[in-house]
C-alpha cells in the first residue's frame, strides 16, 4: 500500500488501541501483508498503532482470528476534519468569513502618503489632484488606473508640480512629487544698452537682441556701448541682451618666503592617565618626564547613567615630542606658488565665470629670504552689463583700452 503522508491526509487515518492475547502477532501479520503501520508502541496491556482508513478492513478481518479488540483513539485527515467542520458550521463560516474580510481589506487603499511636498498648501494640492485622478482612501486597488496613467492625471491637475510618481505598497499608496522651482523674474522690458564694465580686448560677441557696436580684437573702455538697444539711429529701441567676451588683464603682487619653518613629530611619546572630576584632572598613571616641547592628544570616556553624564570620567593623554624643522624652498617652486596665488586672487576679484588665458611675471626680486613678484594674468570673461539708454546721444565713439 502507498506510504505517502499526503495520501494518508487526504484519505484519512486512525490511531488505534489494540488489546488481547494476539495483539503483537496481529501487528507482525499486518507488516508481512505489506500494510503500512506507523507510530507503533508496545505496552504490557496492548499495542498503540496508527493505520490508514483503507487498512482498517484488514484489522476487522483478523481481530477474531487473533482474539483482539481495538478502540479508535484519534482520527486524522481531511475526511474527519470535514465532518468536524460540518458539525461546527458556525466556526467554519467564521473562518471563511475572516479570510474573505482579510482579503477584502487588503484590496483597499487605506492610506495615501504624500512625499516631496513643501508646505501644507502643496501637499493639499497634490492630495486633491490624487483624489480627482481616482486615488483616495477607500478605493479598491483593482479599480485604480496603472501608476503611469495616475501620475499623468495628477501632473495635469497639479500645475505647481513638474513630476509625480505613484507606488502602491500593500494598502498604502505613496505619491512622490517634485514641485516646480519658482520662476525667475522676467527680464525688464525697459530699453537699455549693454556696456563694458572693465577695459579689455573683444574676443567674441553673442548678441540675442540689439545692435552690435564692437568687433573682435577691438579695445574697449568701461562704459563703452557694446550692444546698442537702438536698432537704428533715431529709430525704435529694445532691451539689448547678449554676452560679450573679452580679454581682461589683472596684476597681482605676491610674496613667497623661501625659508619655511614648522614643527614635526619625532615619534617619541609619553602616555598618562587621569581621573577627571569636574574640571580637575588627577594623574593616576604615567609619571615619566615629558619632552620639553610636546603635542598632547586626549581621549576621554563618556560615562552615563541613563541620560545623566557622570561627573567622573577617565582621560587617557598621549604627549608626543615635537621638533622644530626649517627647510629651504627652491626659487622655481616659489615662482609656481606665486602664479597659483595670483590666479586665486584674480578669481576672487573677477567673480562669475572666467577662463585664465595665461600668466606672466612682470617683475620679481629676492629680498631677505622672500620672493616678491608682480604677475600679470590674462583672463577671458563676460564684461557686458545693462545700462540705460541716454536720452540724448551723440555718435558712439570707440575708446582706448586701459589696464587694471
Amino acid at each position: 500500500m502507498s506510504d505517502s503522508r499526503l495520501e494518508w491526509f487526504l484519505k484519512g487515518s486512525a490511531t488505534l488501541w489494540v488489546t488481547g492475547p494476539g495483539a503483537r502477532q496481529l501487528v507482525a501479520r499486518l507488516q508481512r501483508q505489506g500494510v503500512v503501520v506507523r507510530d507503533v508502541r508496545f505496552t504490557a496491556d496492548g499495542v498503540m498503532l496508527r493505520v490508514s482508513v483503507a487498512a482498517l478492513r484488514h484489522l476487522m478481518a483478523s481481530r477474531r482470528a487473533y482474539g483482539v479488540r481495538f478502540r479508535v483513539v484519534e482520527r486524522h485527515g481531511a475526511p474527519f476534519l470535514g465532518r468536524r467542520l460540518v458539525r461546527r458550521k458556525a466556526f467554519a463560516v467564521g473562518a471563511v468569513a475572516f479570510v474573505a474580510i482579510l482579503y477584502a481589506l487588503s484590496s483597499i487603499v487605506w492610506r495615501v502618503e504624500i512625499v516631496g511636498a513643501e508646505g501644507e498648501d502643496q501637499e493639499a494640492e497634490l492630495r486633491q489632484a490624487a483624489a480627482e485622478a481616482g486615488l483616495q482612501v477607500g478605493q479598491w486597488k483593482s479599480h485604480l488606473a496603472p501608476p503611469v496613467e495616475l501620475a499623468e492625471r495628477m501632473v495635469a491637475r497639479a500645475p505647481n508640480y513638474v513630476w509625480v510618481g505613484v507606488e502602491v505598497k500593500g494598502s498604502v499608496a505613496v505619491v512622490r512629487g517634485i514641485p516646480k522651482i519658482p520662476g525667475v523674474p522676467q527680464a525688464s522690458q525697459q530699453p537699455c544698452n549693454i556696456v563694458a564694465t572693465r577695459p579689455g580686448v573683444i574676443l567674441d560677441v553673442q548678441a540675442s537682441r540689439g545692435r552690435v557696436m564692437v568687433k573682435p580684437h577691438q579695445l574697449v573702455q568701461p562704459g563703452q556701448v557694446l550692444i546698442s538697444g537702438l536698432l537704428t539711429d533715431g529709430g525704435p529701441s529694445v532691451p539689448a541682451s547678449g554676452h560679450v567676451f573679452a580679454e581682461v588683464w589683472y596684476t597681482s603682487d605676491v610674496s613667497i618666503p623661501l625659508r619655511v619653518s614648522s614643527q614635526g613629530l619625532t615619534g617619541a611619546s609619553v602616555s598618562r592617565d587621569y581621573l577627571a572630576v569636574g574640571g580637575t584632572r588627577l594623574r593616576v598613571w604615567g609619571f615619566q618626564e615629558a619632552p620639553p616641547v610636546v603635542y598632547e592628544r586626549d581621549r576621554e570616556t563618556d560615562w552615563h547613567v541613563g541620560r545623566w553624564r557622570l561627573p567622573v570620567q577617565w582621560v587617557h593623554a598621549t604627549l608626543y615630542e615635537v621638533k622644530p624643522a626649517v627647510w629651504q624652498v627652491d626659487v622655481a617652486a616659489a615662482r609656481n606658488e606665486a602664479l597659483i596665488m595670483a590666479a586665486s586672487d584674480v578669481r576672487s576679484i573677477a567673480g562669475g565665470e572666467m577662463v585664465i588665458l595665461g600668466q606672466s611675471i612682470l617683475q620679481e626680486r629676492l629680498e631677505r629670504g622672500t620672493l616678491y613678484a608682480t604677475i600679470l594674468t590674462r583672463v577671458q570673461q563676460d564684461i557686458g552689463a545693462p545700462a540705460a539708454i541716454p536720452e540724448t546721444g551723440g555718435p558712439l565713439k570707440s575708446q582706448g583700452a586701459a589696464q587694471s
Side-chain angles (χ1 to χ4, degrees):
M1 299 182 66
S2 175
D3 192 25
S4 171
R5 293 184 179 271
L6 178 60
E7 186 175 352
W8 273 43
F9 174 78
L10 295 177
K11 294 184 176 180
S13 62
T15 300
L16 305 178
W17 172 246
V18 183
T19 59
R24 295 175 180 268
Q25 291 80 2
L26 176 60
V27 174
R29 178 183 175 181
L30 292 175
Q31 292 180 339
R32 289 196 299 271
Q33 291 178 348
V35 178
V36 178
V37 181
R38 291 176 175 166
D39 303 334
V40 179
R41 288 176 292 173
F42 294 97
T43 65
D45 299 331
V47 180
M48 185 78 71
L49 55 86
R50 182 181 174 186
V51 295
S52 64
V53 173
L56 287 176
R57 60 186 180 85
H58 293 278
L59 290 174
M60 297 293 293
S62 304
R63 65 176 181 173
R64 293 182 179 178
Y66 287 90
V68 298
R69 301 177 63 182
F70 62 86
R71 177 171 56 88
V72 178
V73 177
E74 190 175 358
R75 297 174 177 84
H76 314 275
F80 305 106
L81 180 61
R83 293 177 185 176
R84 288 196 292 268
L85 290 177
V86 169
R87 289 196 297 266
R88 301 177 183 179
K89 295 181 180 180
F91 175 78
V93 172
V96 174
F98 173 77
V99 174
I101 293 174
L102 187 63
Y103 174 78
L105 293 178
S106 64
S107 301
I108 298 176
V109 177
W110 287 106
R111 189 168 77 252
V112 178
E113 292 185 356
I114 305 298
V115 180
E118 299 177 357
E120 297 181 357
D121 294 340
Q122 289 190 359
E123 181 177 349
E125 178 186 2
L126 192 54
R127 193 176 295 277
Q128 179 65 25
E132 294 177 357
L135 178 59
Q136 56 187 343
V137 175
Q139 180 65 273
W140 292 91
K141 293 194 296 184
S142 59
H143 294 171
L144 292 176
V148 176
E149 184 176 344
L150 282 174
E152 292 177 353
R153 295 179 185 176
M154 293 181 196
V155 170
R157 291 169 170 81
N160 292 323
Y161 283 85
V162 67
W163 177 86
V164 174
V166 180
E167 182 181 7
V168 180
K169 299 179 180 179
S171 59
V172 179
V174 181
V175 180
R176 293 181 173 85
I178 299 179
K180 291 182 179 179
I181 299 175
V184 296
Q186 296 183 353
S188 174
Q189 297 301 315
Q190 186 70 23
C192 63
N193 294 328
I194 299 296
V195 301
T197 58
R198 59 184 74 244
V201 176
I202 301 299
L203 297 177
D204 185 25
V205 181
Q206 300 174 359
S208 56
R209 180 183 294 182
R211 182 165 50 130
V212 178
M213 305 300 297
V214 292
K215 298 180 180 180
H217 310 297
Q218 180 179 342
L219 299 173
V220 296
Q221 290 283 354
Q224 183 174 343
V225 177
L226 306 176
I227 303 175
S228 175
L230 294 174
L231 299 181
T232 59
D233 294 337
S237 58
V238 297
S241 61
H243 300 280
V244 181
F245 297 97
E247 179 179 328
V248 184
W249 308 276
Y250 295 90
T251 57
S252 304
D253 294 323
V254 297
S255 58
I256 305 295
L258 301 182
R259 291 176 56 87
V260 180
S261 60
S262 65
Q263 294 182 337
L265 303 179
T266 63
S269 63
V270 174
S271 297
R272 292 175 178 174
D273 293 297
Y274 300 89
L275 188 65
V277 181
T280 305
R281 298 201 307 183
L282 305 176
R283 190 191 308 181
V284 296
W285 187 261
F287 296 94
Q288 304 95 324
E289 183 177 354
V293 182
V294 298
Y295 164 72
E296 182 174 346
R297 178 179 296 174
D298 297 342
R299 289 184 300 171
E300 184 175 349
T301 59
D302 191 19
W303 294 336
H304 283 75
V305 175
R307 296 184 178 180
W308 182 60
R309 190 175 190 272
L310 296 179
V312 179
Q313 301 291 334
W314 189 269
V315 179
H316 179 78
T318 304
L319 285 68
Y320 299 92
E321 183 180 9
V322 177
K323 182 179 180 180
V326 179
W327 67 87
Q328 189 76 20
V329 178
D330 183 71
V331 175
R335 290 195 186 100
N336 293 333
E337 184 66 22
L339 294 175
I340 295 174
M341 292 181 61
S344 178
D345 177 60
V346 169
R347 288 190 178 94
S348 63
I349 296 175
E353 296 183 2
M354 50 159 286
V355 178
I356 295 179
L357 301 177
Q359 290 180 290
S360 303
I361 299 179
L362 301 180
Q363 183 182 6
E364 71 173 39
R365 71 179 189 277
L366 291 174
E367 184 177 335
R368 298 181 180 179
T370 302
L371 174 66
Y372 298 92
T374 300
I375 298 175
L376 172 68
T377 303
R378 299 181 295 109
V379 303
Q380 172 185 308
Q381 67 180 114
D382 187 357
I383 63 172
I389 299 177
E391 294 183 2
T392 58
L396 299 174
K397 299 183 297 181
S398 298
Q399 303 176 12
Q403 178 176 323
S404 67

